[in-house]
Amino acid sequence: MLRVAIVGASGYIGGELLRLLHGHPRVTVVAATSDRLAGRRVDGPHPNLRGHTELCFVGHDTLRDIEFDVLLLAAPHRETMGRMAEFLKLAGTVIDLSGDFRLRDPDVYASYYGVTHSAPELIPEFTTGLPEWHRAELATSDRISVPGCMATAGILAVRPLARAGLIEGTVKVDARTGSSGSGVSAGAAGAHAERSGALRVFAPTRHRHEAEIAQATGHTVRMTATGVEAVRGVQVLAHVNLASGVSERDVRSAFRAAYGNEPFVRVVAQRQGLYRLPEPKILTGSNFCDVGFAVSADDGTAVLIGALDNLVKGGAGGAVQCLNVRFGWPERTGLEFTGLHPN
Amino acid sequence: MLRVAIVGASGYIGGELLRLLHGHPRVTVVAATSDRLAGRRVDGPHPNLRGHTELCFVGHDTLRDIEFDVLLLAAPHRETMGRMAEFLKLAGTVIDLSGDFRLRDPDVYASYYGVTHSAPELIPEFTTGLPEWHRAELATSDRISVPGCMATAGILAVRPLARAGLIEGTVKVDARTGSSGSGVSAGAAGAHAERSGALRVFAPTRHRHEAEIAQATGHTVRMTATGVEAVRGVQVLAHVNLASGVSERDVRSAFRAAYGNEPFVRVVAQRQGLYRLPEPKILTGSNFCDVGFAVSADDGTAVLIGALDNLVKGGAGGAVQCLNVRFGWPERTGLEFTGLHPN
Amino acid sequence: MLRVAIVGASGYIGGELLRLLHGHPRVTVVAATSDRLAGRRVDGPHPNLRGHTELCFVGHDTLRDIEFDVLLLAAPHRETMGRMAEFLKLAGTVIDLSGDFRLRDPDVYASYYGVTHSAPELIPEFTTGLPEWHRAELATSDRISVPGCMATAGILAVRPLARAGLIEGTVKVDARTGSSGSGVSAGAAGAHAERSGALRVFAPTRHRHEAEIAQATGHTVRMTATGVEAVRGVQVLAHVNLASGVSERDVRSAFRAAYGNEPFVRVVAQRQGLYRLPEPKILTGSNFCDVGFAVSADDGTAVLIGALDNLVKGGAGGAVQCLNVRFGWPERTGLEFTGLHPN
Amino acid sequence: MLRVAIVGASGYIGGELLRLLHGHPRVTVVAATSDRLAGRRVDGPHPNLRGHTELCFVGHDTLRDIEFDVLLLAAPHRETMGRMAEFLKLAGTVIDLSGDFRLRDPDVYASYYGVTHSAPELIPEFTTGLPEWHRAELATSDRISVPGCMATAGILAVRPLARAGLIEGTVKVDARTGSSGSGVSAGAAGAHAERSGALRVFAPTRHRHEAEIAQATGHTVRMTATGVEAVRGVQVLAHVNLASGVSERDVRSAFRAAYGNEPFVRVVAQRQGLYRLPEPKILTGSNFCDVGFAVSADDGTAVLIGALDNLVKGGAGGAVQCLNVRFGWPERTGLEFTGLHPN
């Protein structure tokens, strides 16, 4: 059994890592850290784990006294980069879910996160934790940075056409997200009475995930982000201009070529039906990212759509998928849940 | 114009008082207090008032320098009783929306609120702010205590039968409430990701409003309270035992006798239809309390149902209705909104 | 009192017309038609009207025997154009809420509605029922066509910049709508278990309201429409390219110039706060359309945002506002409701 | 591999059976019937199964030409009893999810279902499909009738105390259910705009599941059923009178004795915390039924609470659990999903 430790295990991503790894047949969680809850049972903040585990949180310092093979980091942005040198000493393989090592260019990082990157020399060591586009590198990488939730949906939706040279110009992205993306400590903005039923354009411009999509596609991206009524779920719509002569058939072929054999990406672009395009509603709890498209034949534009569960494929599930790739296990191991309908 | 001051105007009840009094043709709000937000516009925390008022919050101390006729208190439980002597000096008429002067017996208060009442000598001065049952006293009262939101629905649903001697024994109440009842500062329990879609039995026994319903009906009451998915809205179901020989017709007659001429209570007990029984969904924003019933002919039991908007009829609207009664105005003044369907 | 008849009064728009006109001091509803429900009380399908009216539906044929001044049409698209000649004989003033007389060019109509227009000669007689941009014509018009819900939000958000020449090129619109926009008969697609929590991209391209926004702004518009978790509420985001040299200050000035004195349009574009941009959540039941913007200083693009209640400002409320303009009454008459917070 | 056929596979329970059996390592689904959708892929109405199966629906008549070991019946009430004799010829083991063989007494059936039972002679052949209370019989039974969703929650919550003689008199049950309980064809009552945010007391008296709880506990039961805002999820509150001298400790002991070793029942009755009592929100997709209690020490009453996912433990999952018991497999086989938090 592979021994895994989780830093920041009391948050929503941490809880989801615990859920997924509990059901993973090749992994054992040897430590789940939370300074605030050290000594308390993990099924307190994560009540869905009742009856499944007797595990308790430990303080971060405990990690020095425990042996493990892989360290999963679910710590906050900005804090993570300052401690990364320390983390890298603790385990042979480190998978980071923070935003600190996603952007290759420290200047872009500074521009989007508002602080200078404190460990720019470590950035090149990290591989992007998106198996669909980096599977080969991930198989041998010991530093993995999992993309952001909206970035994952956006990259998976846009990159097939971008790589195939089928689109031109700026990509306009409308991203929608549920409330769990704000984490356990959402504060007054996350109070139910304020957040319920909201269509909150919390980032009309310059959301951080915009930079990740731009980096992964080579296009300028302009993205708005809206909080919608949901706990889990991300959906992105990308408005793109097709290159001259590109047909709907070309678009479909590019998606099929990119994802035809992917275990966790389904191309959903049907003519009719309630679920003819990607919809996060039926993805809750699953590791799927559904991608689809609609082409405006008359004017050479298209809408590309991606949907996923931000805590699974857009977070903890993506990390577990990387773990499976890194250790050579079947990629669906521990990630078999299909999603629910209706839900 | 009657001059009104509002204490605790930054909370949800305070905001609703501002909304209703803004539309009230005989009242002007001369002060809205909030020490935290003194100097800031009231349409900051209450964005629905944008374009309707230029009013700004003032600090509590400012009340000493302003003249007004009526003081509306939307301050917290426990804090209110300690300051009531001071409040009573400030205005000829005081309408309190806290829980501190609802229960006539200080021992019952201590039992349900967990603290000794600090101003028991003032309790007898207060009239219960429920016009349907205390209209005559309210017309001349200058100390009014508005009942709790679930209590209002429960009292209006149960009291007609209790007063008519049609029920016996303990009344079992199942109360459901939206998240706005927890107020602006609901904390971690009110975070959207935790509260959304909840069926949270936050008070399986001894909710404070239980004591109010018992006091108003003369029956022992056992009440559970569940937080449901809604921002506004309260619904109570009361399981009662009918006295021997009481028929459905008797029940209907008692409700009609009690509320046939009431401006804000509708008897809703139809044979069929989606809205055949009281439903808070169509009461949002309105001052109605719908009440209804279903009789089990075979065993002499009945279910009584009440529904309302906790911030209106169960709070600010109830207070404005009392104000109308106290000053002899038509009772619907400023409370004309019908509610929405669908909603 | 102005005598009004409503055709199609059993639907959601019909119900909202009844609600608003019930509270309108200068109007009396003399007939509400529904062949299906003729003889039944209007408070059956519209339970929020209980206690407010004893009105019953009448069959359509009854209109020939009743005198009235204004006919409000809430009949389906396609059906309305075929009966318009008849309707015009029935009343001096006709206000149509269907889509049939919104588009000036019958070819565009055919392209978006999939049928040839059956009464193209009547189209030029109609004035667009948007007082913010057609107030003078509306004051003397007896044929008024109220724009679509998403079109209203889109036009109000985009037209100030379009008219001032501040934007260039194609406008990309992302529109979101609640379930009530599908009407009473939404069918399987509208079943709660399927529709709840949805982010359904039901029109990735060529939604009909796209054509209305294009017509009103003179720009090519590409619009996606997504059904979101809400009963009422529309929000549109328009991605635009600013003309060379246009600053945020220019944008703000254009919005202020357009709407500074409007009774039902608020410019909401603040630096911070939960409700710093337009949000339908706080507009439910009100006739406001909030509009706002965010400018990307570095690249000459902007996001324009509009939000409203689709059944009020995007439907029945817009019609009542037109009625007020047409008959010279204060424009807020019968439309005073402020909206609720929290909600 | 055990060969299973599903009758009525296009509905919500049918879809859930397909989901669970797809992940079951010892079962293969050889036929999923739907006359309406014969020849169509099952992942049409059940889009969560995309990428997991190529199965298509077959017509009911096809069952005569296929060999299988177990027949799972997800056909409507009333229709099932008329066809049961035929079904019993088709397979060695029949598991019925309709209501037709749950009640032992045909007169009670007639009273609650409004029709005479057409196959009363078959009723005694069926075992109640609730492993927690009928495990031994189920291990050898070839006719199994799975209880109703609210009945399962109610029986699991009340029976431990009833069997131990710890309660007396009538049990008052408040049951709450999500919209998926109404099935695919919920009609106008299930339209999102009407059902969203509802607190609909659709059965104030005499809901059918009341009779099942009474049968299983030996107590008179009076139950109300309310539709709440959720797609999945059932919660029941049972108000009971404790027998003389029964303490909270006795109650807890009875629950532990009943369920201490159960794989799918957790006793949740903590002093504090957001999830201190059973909550369906964290059970979505899982086969757990959480049960809990709160005792009013002063007056000898208690509230018992049960929560589950109506389509899993209250339907398809319960059926699969019975299958596991019947064929001697570990009871959690194919039912490992833990549930999600937050959700």
Side-chain angles (χ1 to χ4, degrees):
Chain A
M1 297 289 271
L2 192 82
R3 296 163 302 176
V4 170
I6 302 169
V7 169
S10 66
Y12 290 155
I13 289 285
E16 202 68 355
L17 287 169
L18 286 166
R19 176 180 77 85
L20 293 170
L21 294 177
H22 169 267
H24 195 295
R26 296 174 181 268
V27 171
T28 183
V29 176
V30 297
T33 80
S34 167
D35 281 341
R36 185 172 59 87
L37 297 176
R40 311 284 286 272
R41 297 171 59 95
V42 301
D43 65 5
H46 309 306
N48 57 324
L49 301 182
R50 286 172 181 156
H52 294 282
T53 178
E54 303 294 314
L55 195 69
C56 290
F57 294 107
V58 295
H60 291 296
D61 291 347
T62 310
L63 290 183
R64 278 174 278 174
D65 309 322
I66 302 176
E67 288 198 17
F68 48 89
D69 307 298
V70 177
L71 188 61
L72 286 165
L73 300 175
H77 306 326
R78 300 188 187 176
E79 177 186 321
T80 298
M81 59 184 174
R83 302 171 60 192
M84 185 54 81
E86 169 205 347
F87 290 141
L88 293 178
K89 291 181 194 154
L90 287 170
T93 304
V94 170
I95 302 180
D96 180 27
L97 287 116
S98 85
D100 284 351
F101 295 88
R102 292 173 186 162
L103 298 172
R104 319 305 297 170
D105 182 340
D107 290 342
V108 174
Y109 180 89
S111 164
Y112 276 89
Y113 284 77
V115 291
T116 302
H117 201 290
S118 64
E121 71 286 1
L122 296 177
I123 296 176
E125 297 189 18
F126 279 81
T127 302
T128 298
L130 198 61
E132 290 77 8
W133 292 103
H134 303 277
R135 189 169 279 115
E137 308 98 285
L138 287 169
T140 59
S141 176
D142 283 322
R143 282 98 176 85
I144 296 171
S145 170
V146 178
C149 53
M150 291 185 277
T152 297
I155 294 168
L156 290 173
V158 176
R159 188 157 156 149
L161 300 198
R163 289 278 291 210
L166 303 185
I167 59 174
E168 301 176 341
T170 298
V171 176
K172 305 262 184 178
V173 173
D174 276 298
R176 301 93 179 257
T177 179
S179 62
S180 62
S182 304
V184 169
S185 308
H192 181 271
E194 305 293 344
R195 184 63 176 72
S196 172
L199 281 170
R200 187 158 300 154
V201 187
F202 67 95
T205 62
R206 293 190 67 72
H207 189 280
R208 291 162 180 175
H209 294 184
E210 171 183 294
E212 291 184 58
I213 304 174
Q215 173 178 280
T217 62
H219 285 260
T220 300
V221 176
R222 287 295 170 262
M223 172 169 150
T224 63
T226 304
V228 299
E229 174 55 49
V231 172
R232 290 173 181 239
V234 155
Q235 186 189 53
V236 298
L237 271 65
H239 305 257
V240 299
N241 298 310
L242 298 175
S244 179
V246 173
S247 69
E248 180 173 345
R249 178 176 304 209
D250 298 329
V251 170
R252 189 175 295 272
S253 295
F255 273 99
R256 285 202 178 138
Y259 302 131
N261 295 312
E262 283 299 328
F264 290 114
V265 181
R266 297 182 293 203
V267 181
V268 177
Q270 303 180 345
R271 293 278 167 218
Q272 55 187 359
L274 299 187
Y275 299 91
R276 69 186 184 102
L277 290 167
E279 169 90 65
K281 174 181 161 74
I282 59 170
L283 300 176
T284 302
S286 90
N287 197 51
F288 285 97
C289 178
D290 284 352
V291 297
F293 55 85
V295 173
S296 291
D298 57 337
D299 72 343
T301 66
V303 178
L304 314 179
I305 306 175
L308 50 73
D309 180 331
N310 53 302
L311 298 182
V312 192
K313 181 61 175 167
V320 172
Q321 189 182 351
C322 290
L323 195 74
N324 289 339
V325 172
R326 170 62 185 78
F327 290 93
W329 303 323
E331 211 158 316
R332 283 193 172 178
T333 310
L335 298 168
E336 295 87 354
F337 185 64
T338 59
L340 300 169
H341 172 264
N343 186 32
Chain B
M1 298 289 271
L2 192 81
R3 296 164 302 175
V4 171
I6 302 169
V7 169
S10 65
Y12 290 154
I13 289 285
E16 202 68 356
L17 287 169
L18 285 166
R19 175 179 78 84
L20 293 170
L21 294 177
H22 168 267
H24 197 294
R26 295 174 181 268
V27 170
T28 183
V29 176
V30 297
T33 80
S34 167
D35 280 342
R36 186 172 58 87
L37 297 176
R40 310 284 286 272
R41 297 170 59 96
V42 301
D43 66 5
H46 309 308
N48 56 324
L49 301 182
R50 286 173 181 155
H52 294 282
T53 178
E54 303 293 314
L55 195 68
C56 291
F57 293 106
V58 295
H60 290 296
D61 290 347
T62 310
L63 291 182
R64 277 174 279 175
D65 308 321
I66 301 176
E67 287 199 16
F68 48 89
D69 307 297
V70 177
L71 188 61
L72 286 165
L73 300 175
H77 306 327
R78 300 188 188 176
E79 177 186 321
T80 300
M81 60 184 174
R83 301 170 60 192
M84 185 55 81
E86 169 206 345
F87 290 141
L88 293 178
K89 289 178 193 154
L90 288 170
T93 304
V94 170
I95 303 180
D96 180 27
L97 286 116
S98 86
D100 285 351
F101 294 88
R102 292 172 185 161
L103 297 172
R104 318 307 295 172
D105 182 338
D107 291 342
V108 175
Y109 180 89
S111 165
Y112 276 89
Y113 284 78
V115 291
T116 302
H117 202 290
S118 64
E121 71 285 0
L122 296 177
I123 296 176
E125 297 188 18
F126 279 82
T127 301
T128 298
L130 199 62
E132 290 78 7
W133 292 104
H134 303 278
R135 188 169 278 115
E137 308 98 284
L138 287 169
T140 60
S141 176
D142 283 321
R143 281 99 176 86
I144 296 171
S145 170
V146 178
C149 53
M150 291 184 277
T152 297
I155 294 167
L156 290 173
V158 177
R159 188 157 156 149
L161 300 198
R163 289 278 291 211
L166 303 185
I167 59 174
E168 299 176 335
T170 297
V171 176
K172 304 259 183 179
V173 173
D174 194 42
R176 301 95 181 255
T177 180
S179 61
S180 62
S182 303
V184 169
S185 309
H192 181 271
E194 306 293 341
R195 184 64 176 72
S196 173
L199 283 169
R200 187 174 300 159
V201 187
F202 67 96
T205 62
R206 294 191 66 72
H207 189 281
R208 291 161 180 176
H209 295 181
E210 171 182 293
E212 291 183 59
I213 304 174
Q215 173 178 280
T217 62
H219 285 261
T220 300
V221 176
R222 287 294 170 263
M223 174 168 148
T224 63
T226 304
V228 299
E229 175 55 47
V231 171
R232 292 175 180 237
V234 155
Q235 186 189 53
V236 298
L237 271 66
H239 302 258
V240 299
N241 298 309
L242 298 175
S244 179
V246 172
S247 68
E248 181 173 345
R249 178 175 304 210
D250 299 330
V251 170
R252 191 174 293 272
S253 295
F255 273 98
R256 287 204 176 134
Y259 301 130
N261 296 312
E262 282 299 329
F264 290 114
V265 181
R266 297 183 292 202
V267 181
V268 177
Q270 303 180 346
R271 293 277 167 221
Q272 55 187 358
L274 298 188
Y275 299 92
R276 70 188 184 99
L277 289 167
E279 168 97 60
K281 175 181 161 73
I282 58 169
L283 300 175
T284 302
S286 91
N287 197 51
F288 284 97
C289 179
D290 283 352
V291 297
F293 55 85
V295 173
S296 291
D298 58 337
D299 72 343
T301 66
V303 178
L304 314 179
I305 305 174
L308 49 72
D309 180 332
N310 53 302
L311 297 182
V312 191
K313 181 61 175 167
V320 172
Q321 189 182 353
C322 289
L323 195 73
N324 289 340
V325 172
R326 170 62 185 78
F327 291 92
W329 304 323
E331 212 158 313
R332 284 192 172 177
T333 310
L335 298 168
E336 295 88 354
F337 185 64
T338 58
L340 299 170
H341 172 264
N343 186 32
Chain C
M1 297 289 271
L2 192 82
R3 297 164 301 177
V4 170
I6 302 169
V7 169
S10 65
Y12 290 155
I13 289 285
E16 202 68 355
L17 287 168
L18 285 166
R19 175 180 77 84
L20 293 171
L21 294 177
H22 168 267
H24 195 294
R26 295 173 181 267
V27 170
T28 183
V29 176
V30 297
T33 81
S34 166
D35 280 344
R36 186 173 57 89
L37 297 175
R40 310 284 286 273
R41 296 171 59 96
V42 301
D43 65 7
H46 309 306
N48 56 324
L49 300 182
R50 286 172 180 155
H52 295 281
T53 177
E54 303 294 314
L55 195 69
C56 290
F57 293 106
V58 296
H60 290 296
D61 290 348
T62 311
L63 291 182
R64 278 173 280 175
D65 309 321
I66 301 176
E67 288 199 16
F68 47 89
D69 307 297
V70 177
L71 188 61
L72 286 164
L73 300 175
H77 306 326
R78 300 186 188 177
E79 178 186 322
T80 299
M81 59 184 174
R83 302 170 61 193
M84 185 55 81
E86 170 206 344
F87 290 142
L88 294 178
K89 291 179 192 154
L90 287 170
T93 304
V94 170
I95 303 180
D96 180 26
L97 287 115
S98 85
D100 285 351
F101 294 89
R102 292 173 185 161
L103 298 172
R104 318 305 296 172
D105 182 340
D107 291 342
V108 175
Y109 181 89
S111 165
Y112 276 89
Y113 284 77
V115 291
T116 302
H117 202 290
S118 65
E121 72 285 0
L122 295 177
I123 296 176
E125 297 189 17
F126 280 81
T127 302
T128 298
L130 198 61
E132 290 78 7
W133 293 104
H134 304 277
R135 188 168 279 114
E137 308 99 284
L138 288 168
T140 60
S141 176
D142 283 321
R143 281 98 176 87
I144 296 171
S145 170
V146 178
C149 53
M150 290 184 277
T152 298
I155 294 167
L156 290 173
V158 176
R159 188 157 157 148
L161 299 198
R163 289 279 290 210
L166 304 185
I167 59 175
E168 298 177 337
T170 298
V171 175
K172 304 261 184 179
V173 172
D174 194 43
R176 300 94 181 255
T177 179
S179 62
S180 61
S182 304
V184 168
S185 308
H192 182 272
E194 306 292 344
R195 184 64 176 71
S196 172
L199 282 170
R200 187 174 300 158
V201 186
F202 67 95
T205 62
R206 293 190 67 71
H207 189 282
R208 291 160 180 175
H209 294 184
E210 171 182 293
E212 291 184 58
I213 304 174
Q215 173 178 281
T217 62
H219 285 260
T220 299
V221 175
R222 286 296 169 261
M223 172 168 148
T224 62
T226 304
V228 299
E229 174 57 47
V231 172
R232 292 174 179 237
V234 156
Q235 186 188 54
V236 298
L237 270 65
H239 303 258
V240 298
N241 298 310
L242 298 175
S244 178
V246 172
S247 68
E248 181 172 345
R249 179 176 302 208
D250 298 330
V251 171
R252 190 174 293 272
S253 294
F255 273 99
R256 286 202 177 137
Y259 302 130
N261 295 313
E262 282 298 328
F264 291 115
V265 181
R266 297 182 293 203
V267 181
V268 177
Q270 303 180 346
R271 294 277 168 219
Q272 54 186 359
L274 297 187
Y275 299 92
R276 70 187 183 100
L277 290 167
E279 169 98 59
K281 176 181 161 73
I282 58 170
L283 300 176
T284 303
S286 91
N287 197 50
F288 285 97
C289 178
D290 284 351
V291 296
F293 56 84
V295 173
S296 291
D298 57 337
D299 73 342
T301 66
V303 178
L304 314 179
I305 305 174
L308 49 74
D309 180 331
N310 54 303
L311 297 181
V312 191
K313 180 61 175 167
V320 172
Q321 188 182 352
C322 289
L323 195 74
N324 290 339
V325 172
R326 170 63 185 78
F327 291 93
W329 304 323
E331 214 158 314
R332 284 192 171 177
T333 309
L335 298 169
E336 296 87 354
F337 184 64
T338 58
L340 299 170
H341 172 264
N343 185 31
Chain D
M1 297 289 272
L2 192 82
R3 296 164 303 176
V4 170
I6 303 169
V7 169
S10 66
Y12 290 154
I13 289 285
E16 201 69 354
L17 286 169
L18 285 167
R19 175 180 77 84
L20 293 171
L21 294 177
H22 168 267
H24 196 294
R26 295 173 181 268
V27 171
T28 183
V29 176
V30 297
T33 81
S34 166
D35 281 343
R36 186 172 58 87
L37 297 175
R40 309 285 286 273
R41 298 171 58 95
V42 301
D43 65 7
H46 309 307
N48 56 324
L49 301 182
R50 285 173 181 156
H52 295 281
T53 178
E54 302 295 314
L55 195 68
C56 290
F57 294 106
V58 296
H60 291 296
D61 291 348
T62 309
L63 291 183
R64 278 173 279 177
D65 309 322
I66 301 176
E67 288 199 18
F68 47 88
D69 308 297
V70 177
L71 189 61
L72 286 164
L73 300 174
H77 308 326
R78 301 188 187 176
E79 178 187 322
T80 298
M81 60 184 173
R83 302 170 60 193
M84 185 54 81
E86 169 205 344
F87 290 141
L88 294 178
K89 291 179 193 154
L90 288 169
T93 305
V94 170
I95 303 180
D96 180 27
L97 286 116
S98 86
D100 284 352
F101 295 88
R102 292 173 186 161
L103 297 172
R104 318 307 297 173
D105 182 338
D107 291 342
V108 174
Y109 181 89
S111 164
Y112 276 89
Y113 284 78
V115 292
T116 302
H117 203 289
S118 66
E121 71 285 1
L122 296 177
I123 295 176
E125 298 188 18
F126 280 81
T127 302
T128 298
L130 198 61
E132 290 78 8
W133 292 103
H134 304 278
R135 188 169 279 115
E137 309 99 284
L138 287 169
T140 60
S141 176
D142 283 321
R143 281 100 174 84
I144 297 171
S145 170
V146 178
C149 53
M150 290 184 277
T152 297
I155 294 168
L156 289 174
V158 176
R159 189 158 156 148
L161 300 198
R163 289 277 291 208
L166 303 185
I167 59 174
E168 301 178 340
T170 298
V171 175
K172 305 261 184 179
V173 173
D174 277 299
R176 301 94 181 258
T177 179
S179 61
S180 61
S182 304
V184 169
S185 309
H192 181 271
E194 305 292 345
R195 184 64 175 72
S196 173
L199 282 170
R200 187 158 299 153
V201 187
F202 66 95
T205 63
R206 293 191 66 71
H207 190 279
R208 291 161 179 174
H209 295 183
E210 171 182 293
E212 291 183 59
I213 304 174
Q215 173 178 279
T217 62
H219 285 260
T220 300
V221 176
R222 287 295 171 262
M223 173 168 149
T224 62
T226 304
V228 298
E229 174 55 47
V231 172
R232 292 174 179 237
V234 156
Q235 186 189 54
V236 298
L237 270 65
H239 305 257
V240 299
N241 299 309
L242 297 176
S244 179
V246 173
S247 69
E248 181 173 344
R249 179 175 304 209
D250 299 330
V251 171
R252 190 175 293 272
S253 295
F255 273 100
R256 286 203 177 137
Y259 302 130
N261 296 313
E262 283 298 330
F264 290 114
V265 181
R266 296 182 292 202
V267 181
V268 177
Q270 303 179 345
R271 293 277 167 220
Q272 55 187 359
L274 299 187
Y275 298 91
R276 71 187 183 100
L277 290 167
E279 169 92 63
K281 175 181 161 74
I282 58 169
L283 301 174
T284 302
S286 91
N287 197 50
F288 285 96
C289 179
D290 284 351
V291 297
F293 55 85
V295 173
S296 292
D298 58 337
D299 73 343
T301 66
V303 178
L304 314 178
I305 305 174
L308 50 74
D309 180 331
N310 53 303
L311 297 181
V312 191
K313 181 61 175 167
V320 173
Q321 189 183 352
C322 290
L323 195 74
N324 289 340
V325 172
R326 171 62 186 79
F327 291 93
W329 304 324
E331 213 158 316
R332 283 192 172 179
T333 310
L335 298 168
E336 296 87 354
F337 184 64
T338 58
L340 298 170
H341 172 263
N343 185 31

